[in-house]
mmCIF file with all atom_site columns, all heavy atoms in Angstrom:
data_model
loop_
_atom_site.group_PDB
_atom_site.id
_atom_site.type_symbol
_atom_site.label_atom_id
_atom_site.label_alt_id
_atom_site.label_comp_id
_atom_site.label_asym_id
_atom_site.label_entity_id
_atom_site.label_seq_id
_atom_site.pdbx_PDB_ins_code
_atom_site.Cartn_x
_atom_site.Cartn_y
_atom_site.Cartn_z
_atom_site.occupancy
_atom_site.B_iso_or_equiv
_atom_site.pdbx_formal_charge
_atom_site.auth_seq_id
_atom_site.auth_comp_id
_atom_site.auth_asym_id
_atom_site.auth_atom_id
_atom_site.pdbx_PDB_model_num
ATOM   1   N N   . VAL A 1 13  ? -18.372 12.701 -0.215  1.00 98.00 ? 13  VAL A N   1
ATOM   2   C CA  . VAL A 1 13  ? -19.560 13.415 -0.674  1.00 98.00 ? 13  VAL A CA  1
ATOM   3   C C   . VAL A 1 13  ? -20.648 12.541 -1.068  1.00 98.00 ? 13  VAL A C   1
ATOM   4   O O   . VAL A 1 13  ? -20.522 11.588 -1.907  1.00 98.00 ? 13  VAL A O   1
ATOM   5   C CB  . VAL A 1 13  ? -19.169 14.313 -1.904  1.00 98.00 ? 13  VAL A CB  1
ATOM   6   C CG1 . VAL A 1 13  ? -20.361 15.222 -2.283  1.00 98.00 ? 13  VAL A CG1 1
ATOM   7   C CG2 . VAL A 1 13  ? -17.938 15.236 -1.629  1.00 98.00 ? 13  VAL A CG2 1
ATOM   8   N N   . ALA A 1 14  ? -21.876 12.721 -0.465  1.00 98.00 ? 14  ALA A N   1
ATOM   9   C CA  . ALA A 1 14  ? -23.047 11.941 -0.803  1.00 98.00 ? 14  ALA A CA  1
ATOM   10  C C   . ALA A 1 14  ? -23.790 12.761 -1.850  1.00 98.00 ? 14  ALA A C   1
ATOM   11  O O   . ALA A 1 14  ? -24.236 13.921 -1.579  1.00 98.00 ? 14  ALA A O   1
ATOM   12  C CB  . ALA A 1 14  ? -23.853 11.766 0.458   1.00 98.00 ? 14  ALA A CB  1
ATOM   13  N N   . ASN A 1 15  ? -23.968 12.164 -3.051  1.00 98.00 ? 15  ASN A N   1
ATOM   14  C CA  . ASN A 1 15  ? -24.779 12.744 -4.057  1.00 98.00 ? 15  ASN A CA  1
ATOM   15  C C   . ASN A 1 15  ? -26.117 11.995 -4.165  1.00 98.00 ? 15  ASN A C   1
ATOM   16  O O   . ASN A 1 15  ? -26.129 10.921 -4.647  1.00 98.00 ? 15  ASN A O   1
ATOM   17  C CB  . ASN A 1 15  ? -23.993 12.726 -5.449  1.00 98.00 ? 15  ASN A CB  1
ATOM   18  C CG  . ASN A 1 15  ? -24.858 13.263 -6.603  1.00 98.00 ? 15  ASN A CG  1
ATOM   19  O OD1 . ASN A 1 15  ? -25.884 13.863 -6.438  1.00 98.00 ? 15  ASN A OD1 1
ATOM   20  N ND2 . ASN A 1 15  ? -24.396 12.908 -7.793  1.00 98.00 ? 15  ASN A ND2 1
ATOM   21  N N   . LYS A 1 17  ? -28.793 12.735 -5.739  1.00 98.00 ? 17  LYS A N   1
ATOM   22  C CA  . LYS A 1 17  ? -29.493 12.827 -7.042  1.00 98.00 ? 17  LYS A CA  1
ATOM   23  C C   . LYS A 1 17  ? -30.986 13.142 -6.745  1.00 98.00 ? 17  LYS A C   1
ATOM   24  O O   . LYS A 1 17  ? -31.302 13.865 -5.875  1.00 98.00 ? 17  LYS A O   1
ATOM   25  C CB  . LYS A 1 17  ? -29.270 11.559 -7.828  1.00 98.00 ? 17  LYS A CB  1
ATOM   26  C CG  . LYS A 1 17  ? -27.801 11.243 -7.909  1.00 98.00 ? 17  LYS A CG  1
ATOM   27  C CD  . LYS A 1 17  ? -27.439 10.153 -8.852  1.00 98.00 ? 17  LYS A CD  1
ATOM   28  C CE  . LYS A 1 17  ? -25.930 9.920  -8.885  1.00 98.00 ? 17  LYS A CE  1
ATOM   29  N NZ  . LYS A 1 17  ? -25.477 8.931  -9.875  1.00 98.00 ? 17  LYS A NZ  1
ATOM   30  N N   . ILE A 1 99  ? -21.998 20.728 -6.568  1.00 98.00 ? 99  ILE A N   1
ATOM   31  C CA  . ILE A 1 99  ? -21.501 19.817 -7.685  1.00 98.00 ? 99  ILE A CA  1
ATOM   32  C C   . ILE A 1 99  ? -21.667 20.514 -8.929  1.00 98.00 ? 99  ILE A C   1
ATOM   33  O O   . ILE A 1 99  ? -22.746 21.157 -9.247  1.00 98.00 ? 99  ILE A O   1
ATOM   34  C CB  . ILE A 1 99  ? -22.249 18.475 -7.621  1.00 98.00 ? 99  ILE A CB  1
ATOM   35  C CG1 . ILE A 1 99  ? -21.985 17.783 -6.233  1.00 98.00 ? 99  ILE A CG1 1
ATOM   36  C CG2 . ILE A 1 99  ? -21.801 17.592 -8.744  1.00 98.00 ? 99  ILE A CG2 1
ATOM   37  C CD1 . ILE A 1 99  ? -22.930 16.562 -6.019  1.00 98.00 ? 99  ILE A CD1 1
ATOM   38  N N   . HIS A 1 102 ? -21.682 17.310 -13.394 1.00 98.00 ? 102 HIS A N   1
ATOM   39  C CA  . HIS A 1 102 ? -21.852 15.840 -13.162 1.00 98.00 ? 102 HIS A CA  1
ATOM   40  C C   . HIS A 1 102 ? -22.250 15.265 -14.591 1.00 98.00 ? 102 HIS A C   1
ATOM   41  O O   . HIS A 1 102 ? -22.909 15.823 -15.350 1.00 98.00 ? 102 HIS A O   1
ATOM   42  C CB  . HIS A 1 102 ? -22.985 15.604 -12.236 1.00 98.00 ? 102 HIS A CB  1
ATOM   43  C CG  . HIS A 1 102 ? -23.121 14.143 -11.843 1.00 98.00 ? 102 HIS A CG  1
ATOM   44  N ND1 . HIS A 1 102 ? -23.728 13.153 -12.638 1.00 98.00 ? 102 HIS A ND1 1
ATOM   45  C CD2 . HIS A 1 102 ? -22.604 13.481 -10.778 1.00 98.00 ? 102 HIS A CD2 1
ATOM   46  C CE1 . HIS A 1 102 ? -23.591 12.004 -12.024 1.00 98.00 ? 102 HIS A CE1 1
ATOM   47  N NE2 . HIS A 1 102 ? -22.986 12.153 -10.932 1.00 98.00 ? 102 HIS A NE2 1
ATOM   48  N N   . SER A 1 103 ? -21.783 14.034 -14.812 1.00 97.00 ? 103 SER A N   1
ATOM   49  C CA  . SER A 1 103 ? -21.971 13.462 -16.150 1.00 97.00 ? 103 SER A CA  1
ATOM   50  C C   . SER A 1 103 ? -23.460 13.321 -16.489 1.00 97.00 ? 103 SER A C   1
ATOM   51  O O   . SER A 1 103 ? -23.830 13.319 -17.658 1.00 97.00 ? 103 SER A O   1
ATOM   52  C CB  . SER A 1 103 ? -21.280 12.114 -16.331 1.00 97.00 ? 103 SER A CB  1
ATOM   53  O OG  . SER A 1 103 ? -21.895 11.186 -15.424 1.00 97.00 ? 103 SER A OG  1
ATOM   54  N N   . GLU A 1 104 ? -24.357 13.142 -15.485 1.00 97.00 ? 104 GLU A N   1
ATOM   55  C CA  . GLU A 1 104 ? -25.801 13.051 -15.774 1.00 97.00 ? 104 GLU A CA  1
ATOM   56  C C   . GLU A 1 104 ? -26.273 14.372 -16.251 1.00 97.00 ? 104 GLU A C   1
ATOM   57  O O   . GLU A 1 104 ? -27.164 14.454 -17.120 1.00 97.00 ? 104 GLU A O   1
ATOM   58  C CB  . GLU A 1 104 ? -26.579 12.630 -14.524 1.00 97.00 ? 104 GLU A CB  1
ATOM   59  C CG  . GLU A 1 104 ? -26.362 11.089 -14.288 1.00 97.00 ? 104 GLU A CG  1
ATOM   60  C CD  . GLU A 1 104 ? -26.471 10.626 -12.867 1.00 97.00 ? 104 GLU A CD  1
ATOM   61  O OE1 . GLU A 1 104 ? -26.911 11.406 -11.987 1.00 97.00 ? 104 GLU A OE1 1
ATOM   62  O OE2 . GLU A 1 104 ? -26.009 9.515  -12.568 1.00 97.00 ? 104 GLU A OE2 1
ATOM   63  N N   . CYS A 1 133 ? -16.834 17.844 -11.801 1.00 98.00 ? 133 CYS A N   1
ATOM   64  C CA  . CYS A 1 133 ? -16.779 16.452 -12.276 1.00 98.00 ? 133 CYS A CA  1
ATOM   65  C C   . CYS A 1 133 ? -16.194 16.361 -13.689 1.00 98.00 ? 133 CYS A C   1
ATOM   66  O O   . CYS A 1 133 ? -16.683 17.036 -14.605 1.00 98.00 ? 133 CYS A O   1
ATOM   67  C CB  . CYS A 1 133 ? -18.175 15.830 -12.296 1.00 98.00 ? 133 CYS A CB  1
ATOM   68  S SG  . CYS A 1 133 ? -18.983 15.834 -10.628 1.00 98.00 ? 133 CYS A SG  1
ATOM   69  N N   . GLU A 1 174 ? -14.923 11.007 -12.436 1.00 97.00 ? 174 GLU A N   1
ATOM   70  C CA  . GLU A 1 174 ? -16.109 10.108 -12.477 1.00 97.00 ? 174 GLU A CA  1
ATOM   71  C C   . GLU A 1 174 ? -16.210 9.499  -13.860 1.00 97.00 ? 174 GLU A C   1
ATOM   72  O O   . GLU A 1 174 ? -16.882 10.100 -14.719 1.00 97.00 ? 174 GLU A O   1
ATOM   73  C CB  . GLU A 1 174 ? -17.361 10.802 -12.149 1.00 97.00 ? 174 GLU A CB  1
ATOM   74  C CG  . GLU A 1 174 ? -17.447 11.397 -10.679 1.00 97.00 ? 174 GLU A CG  1
ATOM   75  C CD  . GLU A 1 174 ? -18.836 11.263 -10.217 1.00 97.00 ? 174 GLU A CD  1
ATOM   76  O OE1 . GLU A 1 174 ? -19.767 11.776 -10.822 1.00 97.00 ? 174 GLU A OE1 1
ATOM   77  O OE2 . GLU A 1 174 ? -19.047 10.725 -9.114  1.00 97.00 ? 174 GLU A OE2 1
ATOM   78  N N   . PRO A 1 175 ? -15.520 8.355  -14.043 1.00 97.00 ? 175 PRO A N   1
ATOM   79  C CA  . PRO A 1 175 ? -15.663 7.746  -15.383 1.00 97.00 ? 175 PRO A CA  1
ATOM   80  C C   . PRO A 1 175 ? -17.136 7.372  -15.630 1.00 97.00 ? 175 PRO A C   1
ATOM   81  O O   . PRO A 1 175 ? -17.751 6.691  -14.736 1.00 97.00 ? 175 PRO A O   1
ATOM   82  C CB  . PRO A 1 175 ? -14.762 6.432  -15.282 1.00 97.00 ? 175 PRO A CB  1
ATOM   83  C CG  . PRO A 1 175 ? -14.547 6.233  -13.813 1.00 97.00 ? 175 PRO A CG  1
ATOM   84  C CD  . PRO A 1 175 ? -14.725 7.567  -13.112 1.00 97.00 ? 175 PRO A CD  1
ATOM   85  N N   . ALA A 1 178 ? -18.601 3.922  -15.100 1.00 96.00 ? 178 ALA A N   1
ATOM   86  C CA  . ALA A 1 178 ? -18.617 3.349  -13.736 1.00 96.00 ? 178 ALA A CA  1
ATOM   87  C C   . ALA A 1 178 ? -19.704 3.824  -12.902 1.00 96.00 ? 178 ALA A C   1
ATOM   88  O O   . ALA A 1 178 ? -19.991 3.327  -11.837 1.00 96.00 ? 178 ALA A O   1
ATOM   89  C CB  . ALA A 1 178 ? -17.258 3.738  -12.992 1.00 96.00 ? 178 ALA A CB  1
ATOM   90  N N   . ILE A 1 179 ? -20.491 4.845  -13.406 1.00 95.00 ? 179 ILE A N   1
ATOM   91  C CA  . ILE A 1 179 ? -21.494 5.519  -12.547 1.00 95.00 ? 179 ILE A CA  1
ATOM   92  C C   . ILE A 1 179 ? -22.822 4.715  -12.623 1.00 95.00 ? 179 ILE A C   1
ATOM   93  O O   . ILE A 1 179 ? -23.352 4.448  -13.714 1.00 95.00 ? 179 ILE A O   1
ATOM   94  C CB  . ILE A 1 179 ? -21.792 6.944  -13.008 1.00 95.00 ? 179 ILE A CB  1
ATOM   95  C CG1 . ILE A 1 179 ? -20.507 7.811  -12.838 1.00 95.00 ? 179 ILE A CG1 1
ATOM   96  C CG2 . ILE A 1 179 ? -22.934 7.552  -12.284 1.00 95.00 ? 179 ILE A CG2 1
ATOM   97  C CD1 . ILE A 1 179 ? -20.594 9.180  -13.266 1.00 95.00 ? 179 ILE A CD1 1
ATOM   98  N N   . GLY A 1 180 ? -23.195 4.227  -11.455 1.00 93.00 ? 180 GLY A N   1
ATOM   99  C CA  . GLY A 1 180 ? -24.445 3.491  -11.292 1.00 93.00 ? 180 GLY A CA  1
ATOM   100 C C   . GLY A 1 180 ? -24.427 2.142  -11.986 1.00 93.00 ? 180 GLY A C   1
ATOM   101 O O   . GLY A 1 180 ? -25.514 1.633  -12.259 1.00 93.00 ? 180 GLY A O   1
ATOM   102 N N   . THR A 1 181 ? -23.354 1.621  -12.395 1.00 95.00 ? 181 THR A N   1
ATOM   103 C CA  . THR A 1 181 ? -23.306 0.355  -13.151 1.00 95.00 ? 181 THR A CA  1
ATOM   104 C C   . THR A 1 181 ? -22.737 -0.805 -12.350 1.00 95.00 ? 181 THR A C   1
ATOM   105 O O   . THR A 1 181 ? -22.867 -1.925 -12.796 1.00 95.00 ? 181 THR A O   1
ATOM   106 C CB  . THR A 1 181 ? -22.290 0.511  -14.354 1.00 95.00 ? 181 THR A CB  1
ATOM   107 O OG1 . THR A 1 181 ? -20.941 0.880  -13.785 1.00 95.00 ? 181 THR A OG1 1
ATOM   108 C CG2 . THR A 1 181 ? -22.728 1.629  -15.285 1.00 95.00 ? 181 THR A CG2 1
ATOM   109 N N   . GLY A 1 182 ? -22.218 -0.539 -11.186 1.00 94.00 ? 182 GLY A N   1
ATOM   110 C CA  . GLY A 1 182 ? -21.595 -1.568 -10.364 1.00 94.00 ? 182 GLY A CA  1
ATOM   111 C C   . GLY A 1 182 ? -20.182 -1.927 -10.883 1.00 94.00 ? 182 GLY A C   1
ATOM   112 O O   . GLY A 1 182 ? -19.520 -2.773 -10.315 1.00 94.00 ? 182 GLY A O   1
ATOM   113 N N   . ASN A 1 183 ? -19.790 -1.189 -11.941 1.00 93.00 ? 183 ASN A N   1
ATOM   114 C CA  . ASN A 1 183 ? -18.502 -1.475 -12.626 1.00 93.00 ? 183 ASN A CA  1
ATOM   115 C C   . ASN A 1 183 ? -17.545 -0.457 -12.139 1.00 93.00 ? 183 ASN A C   1
ATOM   116 O O   . ASN A 1 183 ? -17.090 0.470  -12.845 1.00 93.00 ? 183 ASN A O   1
ATOM   117 C CB  . ASN A 1 183 ? -18.795 -1.264 -14.120 1.00 93.00 ? 183 ASN A CB  1
ATOM   118 C CG  . ASN A 1 183 ? -17.742 -1.877 -14.982 1.00 93.00 ? 183 ASN A CG  1
ATOM   119 O OD1 . ASN A 1 183 ? -16.853 -2.506 -14.512 1.00 93.00 ? 183 ASN A OD1 1
ATOM   120 N ND2 . ASN A 1 183 ? -17.865 -1.605 -16.288 1.00 93.00 ? 183 ASN A ND2 1
ATOM   121 N N   . TYR A 1 217 ? -12.771 10.240 -6.216  1.00 98.00 ? 217 TYR A N   1
ATOM   122 C CA  . TYR A 1 217 ? -13.204 9.247  -7.238  1.00 98.00 ? 217 TYR A CA  1
ATOM   123 C C   . TYR A 1 217 ? -14.673 9.069  -7.165  1.00 98.00 ? 217 TYR A C   1
ATOM   124 O O   . TYR A 1 217 ? -15.179 9.015  -6.021  1.00 98.00 ? 217 TYR A O   1
ATOM   125 C CB  . TYR A 1 217 ? -12.468 7.989  -7.112  1.00 98.00 ? 217 TYR A CB  1
ATOM   126 C CG  . TYR A 1 217 ? -13.106 6.834  -7.860  1.00 98.00 ? 217 TYR A CG  1
ATOM   127 C CD1 . TYR A 1 217 ? -12.935 6.743  -9.271  1.00 98.00 ? 217 TYR A CD1 1
ATOM   128 C CD2 . TYR A 1 217 ? -14.062 5.962  -7.284  1.00 98.00 ? 217 TYR A CD2 1
ATOM   129 C CE1 . TYR A 1 217 ? -13.599 5.808  -10.024 1.00 98.00 ? 217 TYR A CE1 1
ATOM   130 C CE2 . TYR A 1 217 ? -14.698 5.044  -8.038  1.00 98.00 ? 217 TYR A CE2 1
ATOM   131 C CZ  . TYR A 1 217 ? -14.472 4.948  -9.427  1.00 98.00 ? 217 TYR A CZ  1
ATOM   132 O OH  . TYR A 1 217 ? -15.167 4.046  -10.112 1.00 98.00 ? 217 TYR A OH  1
ATOM   133 N N   . GLY A 1 218 ? -15.319 8.872  -8.210  1.00 97.00 ? 218 GLY A N   1
ATOM   134 C CA  . GLY A 1 218 ? -16.756 8.565  -8.163  1.00 97.00 ? 218 GLY A CA  1
ATOM   135 C C   . GLY A 1 218 ? -17.176 7.541  -9.249  1.00 97.00 ? 218 GLY A C   1
ATOM   136 O O   . GLY A 1 218 ? -16.661 7.573  -10.364 1.00 97.00 ? 218 GLY A O   1
ATOM   137 N N   . GLY A 1 219 ? -18.035 6.603  -8.871  1.00 97.00 ? 219 GLY A N   1
ATOM   138 C CA  . GLY A 1 219 ? -18.467 5.535  -9.832  1.00 97.00 ? 219 GLY A CA  1
ATOM   139 C C   . GLY A 1 219 ? -18.508 4.158  -9.047  1.00 97.00 ? 219 GLY A C   1
ATOM   140 O O   . GLY A 1 219 ? -17.512 3.553  -8.977  1.00 97.00 ? 219 GLY A O   1
ATOM   141 N N   . SER A 1 220 ? -19.772 3.825  -8.633  1.00 96.00 ? 220 SER A N   1
ATOM   142 C CA  . SER A 1 220 ? -19.978 2.554  -8.006  1.00 96.00 ? 220 SER A CA  1
ATOM   143 C C   . SER A 1 220 ? -19.131 2.292  -6.753  1.00 96.00 ? 220 SER A C   1
ATOM   144 O O   . SER A 1 220 ? -18.656 1.153  -6.557  1.00 96.00 ? 220 SER A O   1
ATOM   145 C CB  . SER A 1 220 ? -19.888 1.403  -9.042  1.00 96.00 ? 220 SER A CB  1
ATOM   146 O OG  . SER A 1 220 ? -20.830 1.581  -10.042 1.00 96.00 ? 220 SER A OG  1
ATOM   147 N N   . ILE A 1 221 ? -18.932 3.294  -5.973  1.00 97.00 ? 221 ILE A N   1
ATOM   148 C CA  . ILE A 1 221 ? -18.166 3.143  -4.767  1.00 97.00 ? 221 ILE A CA  1
ATOM   149 C C   . ILE A 1 221 ? -19.102 2.323  -3.791  1.00 97.00 ? 221 ILE A C   1
ATOM   150 O O   . ILE A 1 221 ? -20.256 2.579  -3.723  1.00 97.00 ? 221 ILE A O   1
ATOM   151 C CB  . ILE A 1 221 ? -17.884 4.510  -4.133  1.00 97.00 ? 221 ILE A CB  1
ATOM   152 C CG1 . ILE A 1 221 ? -16.708 5.215  -4.827  1.00 97.00 ? 221 ILE A CG1 1
ATOM   153 C CG2 . ILE A 1 221 ? -17.522 4.414  -2.644  1.00 97.00 ? 221 ILE A CG2 1
ATOM   154 C CD1 . ILE A 1 221 ? -16.408 6.597  -4.392  1.00 97.00 ? 221 ILE A CD1 1
ATOM   155 N N   . LYS A 1 222 ? -18.479 1.497  -3.025  1.00 96.00 ? 222 LYS A N   1
ATOM   156 C CA  . LYS A 1 222 ? -19.205 0.751  -1.943  1.00 96.00 ? 222 LYS A CA  1
ATOM   157 C C   . LYS A 1 222 ? -18.221 0.687  -0.745  1.00 96.00 ? 222 LYS A C   1
ATOM   158 O O   . LYS A 1 222 ? -17.014 0.764  -0.866  1.00 96.00 ? 222 LYS A O   1
ATOM   159 C CB  . LYS A 1 222 ? -19.479 -0.732 -2.382  1.00 96.00 ? 222 LYS A CB  1
ATOM   160 C CG  . LYS A 1 222 ? -20.354 -0.872 -3.605  1.00 96.00 ? 222 LYS A CG  1
ATOM   161 C CD  . LYS A 1 222 ? -20.647 -2.281 -3.815  1.00 96.00 ? 222 LYS A CD  1
ATOM   162 C CE  . LYS A 1 222 ? -20.409 -2.880 -5.153  1.00 96.00 ? 222 LYS A CE  1
ATOM   163 N NZ  . LYS A 1 222 ? -19.683 -2.532 -6.226  1.00 96.00 ? 222 LYS A NZ  1
ATOM   164 N N   . LEU A 1 239 ? -17.017 10.543 -4.318  1.00 98.00 ? 239 LEU A N   1
ATOM   165 C CA  . LEU A 1 239 ? -18.280 11.194 -4.694  1.00 98.00 ? 239 LEU A CA  1
ATOM   166 C C   . LEU A 1 239 ? -19.218 10.000 -4.919  1.00 98.00 ? 239 LEU A C   1
ATOM   167 O O   . LEU A 1 239 ? -19.046 9.183  -5.856  1.00 98.00 ? 239 LEU A O   1
ATOM   168 C CB  . LEU A 1 239 ? -18.156 12.044 -5.940  1.00 98.00 ? 239 LEU A CB  1
ATOM   169 C CG  . LEU A 1 239 ? -19.465 12.747 -6.523  1.00 98.00 ? 239 LEU A CG  1
ATOM   170 C CD1 . LEU A 1 239 ? -20.132 13.508 -5.375  1.00 98.00 ? 239 LEU A CD1 1
ATOM   171 C CD2 . LEU A 1 239 ? -19.038 13.668 -7.604  1.00 98.00 ? 239 LEU A CD2 1
ATOM   172 N N   . VAL A 1 240 ? -20.217 9.829  -4.008  1.00 98.00 ? 240 VAL A N   1
ATOM   173 C CA  . VAL A 1 240 ? -20.928 8.594  -3.908  1.00 98.00 ? 240 VAL A CA  1
ATOM   174 C C   . VAL A 1 240 ? -22.409 8.779  -4.235  1.00 98.00 ? 240 VAL A C   1
ATOM   175 O O   . VAL A 1 240 ? -23.020 9.615  -3.582  1.00 98.00 ? 240 VAL A O   1
ATOM   176 C CB  . VAL A 1 240 ? -20.759 7.984  -2.480  1.00 98.00 ? 240 VAL A CB  1
ATOM   177 C CG1 . VAL A 1 240 ? -21.184 6.577  -2.432  1.00 98.00 ? 240 VAL A CG1 1
ATOM   178 C CG2 . VAL A 1 240 ? -19.356 8.192  -1.925  1.00 98.00 ? 240 VAL A CG2 1
ATOM   179 N N   . GLY A 1 241 ? -22.928 7.940  -5.068  1.00 98.00 ? 241 GLY A N   1
ATOM   180 C CA  . GLY A 1 241 ? -24.375 8.013  -5.382  1.00 98.00 ? 241 GLY A CA  1
ATOM   181 C C   . GLY A 1 241 ? -25.094 6.927  -4.598  1.00 98.00 ? 241 GLY A C   1
ATOM   182 O O   . GLY A 1 241 ? -25.440 7.092  -3.384  1.00 98.00 ? 241 GLY A O   1
ATOM   183 N N   . THR A 1 242 ? -25.310 5.818  -5.220  1.00 97.00 ? 242 THR A N   1
ATOM   184 C CA  . THR A 1 242 ? -26.078 4.666  -4.613  1.00 97.00 ? 242 THR A CA  1
ATOM   185 C C   . THR A 1 242 ? -25.736 4.392  -3.199  1.00 97.00 ? 242 THR A C   1
ATOM   186 O O   . THR A 1 242 ? -26.598 4.289  -2.288  1.00 97.00 ? 242 THR A O   1
ATOM   187 C CB  . THR A 1 242 ? -25.975 3.404  -5.494  1.00 97.00 ? 242 THR A CB  1
ATOM   188 O OG1 . THR A 1 242 ? -26.116 3.787  -6.844  1.00 97.00 ? 242 THR A OG1 1
ATOM   189 C CG2 . THR A 1 242 ? -26.975 2.371  -5.091  1.00 97.00 ? 242 THR A CG2 1
ATOM   190 N N   . ALA A 1 243 ? -24.474 4.241  -2.913  1.00 97.00 ? 243 ALA A N   1
ATOM   191 C CA  . ALA A 1 243 ? -24.010 3.798  -1.496  1.00 97.00 ? 243 ALA A CA  1
ATOM   192 C C   . ALA A 1 243 ? -24.104 4.973  -0.534  1.00 97.00 ? 243 ALA A C   1
ATOM   193 O O   . ALA A 1 243 ? -23.826 4.780  0.643   1.00 97.00 ? 243 ALA A O   1
ATOM   194 C CB  . ALA A 1 243 ? -22.625 3.221  -1.599  1.00 97.00 ? 243 ALA A CB  1
ATOM   195 N N   . SER A 1 244 ? -24.612 6.137  -0.990  1.00 98.00 ? 244 SER A N   1
ATOM   196 C CA  . SER A 1 244 ? -24.755 7.186  -0.026  1.00 98.00 ? 244 SER A CA  1
ATOM   197 C C   . SER A 1 244 ? -26.202 7.344  0.411   1.00 98.00 ? 244 SER A C   1
ATOM   198 O O   . SER A 1 244 ? -26.624 8.209  1.195   1.00 98.00 ? 244 SER A O   1
ATOM   199 C CB  . SER A 1 244 ? -24.274 8.538  -0.659  1.00 98.00 ? 244 SER A CB  1
ATOM   200 O OG  . SER A 1 244 ? -25.278 9.042  -1.529  1.00 98.00 ? 244 SER A OG  1
ATOM   201 N N   . LEU A 1 245 ? -27.061 6.497  -0.027  1.00 98.00 ? 245 LEU A N   1
ATOM   202 C CA  . LEU A 1 245 ? -28.517 6.601  0.244   1.00 98.00 ? 245 LEU A CA  1
ATOM   203 C C   . LEU A 1 245 ? -28.912 5.966  1.566   1.00 98.00 ? 245 LEU A C   1
ATOM   204 O O   . LEU A 1 245 ? -29.927 6.333  2.093   1.00 98.00 ? 245 LEU A O   1
ATOM   205 C CB  . LEU A 1 245 ? -29.343 6.008  -0.922  1.00 98.00 ? 245 LEU A CB  1
ATOM   206 C CG  . LEU A 1 245 ? -29.231 6.754  -2.244  1.00 98.00 ? 245 LEU A CG  1
ATOM   207 C CD1 . LEU A 1 245 ? -29.966 6.034  -3.363  1.00 98.00 ? 245 LEU A CD1 1
ATOM   208 C CD2 . LEU A 1 245 ? -29.794 8.204  -2.160  1.00 98.00 ? 245 LEU A CD2 1
HETATM 209 P P1  . LIG B 2 .   ? -22.855 5.812  -8.015  1.00 68.92 ? 301 LIG B P1  1
HETATM 210 O O1  . LIG B 2 .   ? -22.941 7.399  -8.491  1.00 68.92 ? 301 LIG B O1  1
HETATM 211 O O2  . LIG B 2 .   ? -22.018 5.799  -6.831  1.00 68.92 ? 301 LIG B O2  1
HETATM 212 O O3  . LIG B 2 .   ? -24.265 5.313  -7.904  1.00 68.92 ? 301 LIG B O3  1
HETATM 213 O O4  . LIG B 2 .   ? -22.143 5.153  -9.205  1.00 68.92 ? 301 LIG B O4  1
HETATM 214 C C1  . LIG B 2 .   ? -21.885 8.196  -8.389  1.00 68.92 ? 301 LIG B C1  1
HETATM 215 C C2  . LIG B 2 .   ? -22.203 9.616  -8.858  1.00 68.92 ? 301 LIG B C2  1
HETATM 216 O O5  . LIG B 2 .   ? -22.914 9.686  -9.858  1.00 68.92 ? 301 LIG B O5  1
HETATM 217 O O6  . LIG B 2 .   ? -21.704 10.628 -8.361  1.00 68.92 ? 301 LIG B O6  1
#
Side-chain angles (χ1 to χ4, degrees):
V13 183
N15 175 13
K17 310 188 180 185
I99 298 170
H102 190 280
S103 67
E104 286 153 13
C133 305
E174 294 216 311
I179 296 176
T181 58
N183 197 8
Y217 166 77
S220 299
I221 285 175
K222 299 186 234 10
L239 176 52
V240 194
T242 313
S244 76
L245 293 173

